[in-house]
Amino acid sequence: MNLLPAHRKRSRDPGDNREMIDARRRVHQSKLYQPLADRISRELGKQVRDEASLLDLGCGEGYYSGELLRQLAGVRLHGVDISRPAIRLAARACPDGEFAVASSFDVPLADASVDVALSVFAPTAEAELRRLVAPLGCFLRVTPGPLHLWELRQALYARPRPHPAPTTRLAGFEDADQQSLQFEMQLQGQQLQDVITMTPYAYGGRREHKQQLAGLQSMRLQADFVLSFHRRLPA
């Protein structure tokens, strides 16, 4: 379903373009990010019960949604993203979920209707999270750790800087837990270019550095994530 009002669009086709979406889908299909998907599913499995409502904010092509449906039995999964091509792919890949073209700042769900909300590298709005997540429900935010894709940053920028620490305070929620996850990824051939294309690095870095990277056949990258858990306070 497309539930993004025309007057809320900032462009004709908002969100990631098809090139970025296809690159991200190939990376996910290659299982490079499987350790993150497994950690998310395992930790959220501790939070959900049968028939729990789970919302994937900025769900993209549905990779994490699909893993949650596969690994957590009995959940009712909803996904939203402002990209129409991404939502089409998510709906095809996850027929047991419900997906809509919509903004994470204006989600077409009722107040307090979500037991667990998830955001993987996607923007969110505190007021909307407070409205959506039921009392004692959980919100999991996944952000890049300080050294995420550090070798790529070193190759693209003269003075690379670590990713900043995530903001932990969230009005209306208590900080329940924070975890880190690191693992190495060995990229081969097209995978390296796909990782660049699916990230903001597609728009940054020097052209000559990108040309040098394009000539590489393999590269080892550090994956580094921060998982921040927030519990919705009672009304």
Side-chain angles (χ1 to χ4, degrees):
M1 293 180 289
N2 191 335
L3 299 177
L4 184 63
H7 68 280
R8 293 293 182 91
K9 295 181 180 180
R10 295 185 178 180
S11 66
R12 182 175 180 179
D13 291 306
D16 292 342
N17 60 42
R18 189 56 190 259
E19 184 181 13
M20 295 181 71
I21 294 166
D22 287 342
R24 185 175 295 117
R25 180 170 61 164
R26 288 192 295 268
V27 168
H28 287 154
Q29 288 176 338
S30 69
K31 304 296 184 181
L32 287 172
Y33 281 68
Q34 191 64 42
L36 175 60
D38 290 341
R39 173 69 70 87
I40 290 172
S41 296
R42 184 171 70 248
E43 294 301 323
L44 290 187
K46 302 174 184 178
Q47 308 292 332
V48 302
R49 62 185 188 281
D50 287 345
E51 297 300 314
S53 175
L54 199 156
L55 172 62
D56 188 355
L57 294 158
C59 64
E61 88 289 359
Y63 172 63
Y64 297 104
S65 294
E67 287 296 315
L68 289 167
L69 285 170
R70 185 176 67 85
Q71 299 190 40
L72 303 180
V75 299
R76 293 179 292 112
L77 189 137
H78 313 282
V80 296
D81 199 286
I82 60 173
S83 169
R84 288 187 298 173
I87 286 296
R88 289 194 185 102
L89 291 173
R92 293 173 190 163
C94 309
D96 292 332
E98 296 182 349
F99 297 91
V101 180
S103 170
S104 59
F105 292 80
D106 187 18
V107 179
L109 290 174
D111 295 356
S113 62
V114 173
D115 298 304
V116 177
L118 168 67
S119 166
V120 181
F121 287 23
T124 57
E126 288 190 14
E128 190 68 344
L129 286 169
R130 287 194 300 272
R131 183 185 71 81
L132 290 167
V133 179
L136 302 181
C138 176
F139 169 53
L140 169 57
R141 173 186 285 145
V142 180
T143 54
L147 300 181
H148 185 55
L149 305 183
W150 181 248
E151 297 84 355
L152 191 56
R153 295 171 70 85
Q154 286 180 313
L156 288 173
Y157 301 100
R159 296 180 180 178
R161 291 179 293 178
H163 289 283
T167 301
T168 58
R169 301 299 300 171
L170 189 62
F173 292 76
E174 64 177 354
D175 298 339
D177 189 20
Q178 188 172 94
Q179 302 177 10
S180 61
L181 174 65
Q182 295 92 25
F183 55 90
E184 288 190 343
M185 302 184 294
Q186 183 65 47
L187 278 64
Q188 304 289 340
Q190 182 63 34
Q191 290 177 339
L192 177 57
Q193 297 308 311
D194 282 341
V195 167
I196 295 173
T197 301
M198 68 180 255
T199 64
Y201 301 133
Y203 306 104
R206 296 183 178 180
R207 180 179 302 176
E208 60 269 26
H209 292 173
K210 288 185 178 180
Q211 291 173 344
Q212 292 173 0
L213 286 172
L216 297 179
Q217 294 302 310
S218 67
M219 188 175 189
R220 187 178 297 274
L221 292 181
Q222 170 79 12
D224 186 11
F225 305 96
V226 177
L227 289 79
S228 303
F229 297 82
H230 307 271
R231 179 76 59 189
R232 184 72 170 95
L233 295 171

